[in-house]
Amino acid sequence: MSAVNGIGWFQIGTDQPEEAERFYGGLFGWTFDAAVPGYRIISTPDEGGLQGGLADTGGQGPNHAVFSVLVADTDATCRAAEAAGGKVLVRRSSAAGIEIAHLLDPSGNQFQVFTPPVG
């Protein structure tokens, strides 16, 4: 399983790439490096974890994000996301001891955060 604030491969497509970098960089400590024009590689604090990509849609396609982030505290992360300009769609639900919340970033991209069972 990923480390806290780590993820599997993902892609974010947005017509506001600078805003997405500010939001995700501030919330999770992610960094962004240019790959090719309009696409940046995203690295997370999860040493050895999978990377992702940030695609500038230029308004030519829908904003999208598909990923789930392991966090230390689902509720605290929801509060931090709201403070950073995001929205919480589903504050917290539980399934098999896993706490899950569905969020929106400032561009309207949906993603999930989760905390695994203790023990």
Side-chain angles (χ1 to χ4, degrees), residues 3 44-50:
T44 73
D46 182 8
E47 186 174 329
L50 297 175

Side-chain angles (χ1 to χ4, degrees), residues 93-100 114-117:
S93 60
S94 294
I98 299 171
E99 302 292 328
I100 302 169
F114 73 99
T115 305

Side-chain angles (χ1 to χ4, degrees), residues 1-3 5-10 30-31 41-53 67-68:
M1 181 172 287
S2 296
N5 291 343
I7 51 160
W9 181 259
F10 65 95
W30 295 354
T31 58
I41 299 297
I42 302 171
S43 298
T44 73
D46 182 8
E47 186 174 329
L50 297 175
Q51 297 176 317
F67 58 88
S68 187

Side-chain angles (χ1 to χ4, degrees), residues 77-79 81-82 86-92 101-104:
T77 301
C78 287
R79 289 189 298 275
E82 289 175 319
K87 295 180 182 175
V88 178
L89 293 175
V90 177
R91 175 122 343 243
R92 181 171 43 96
H102 298 260
L103 309 174
L104 290 176

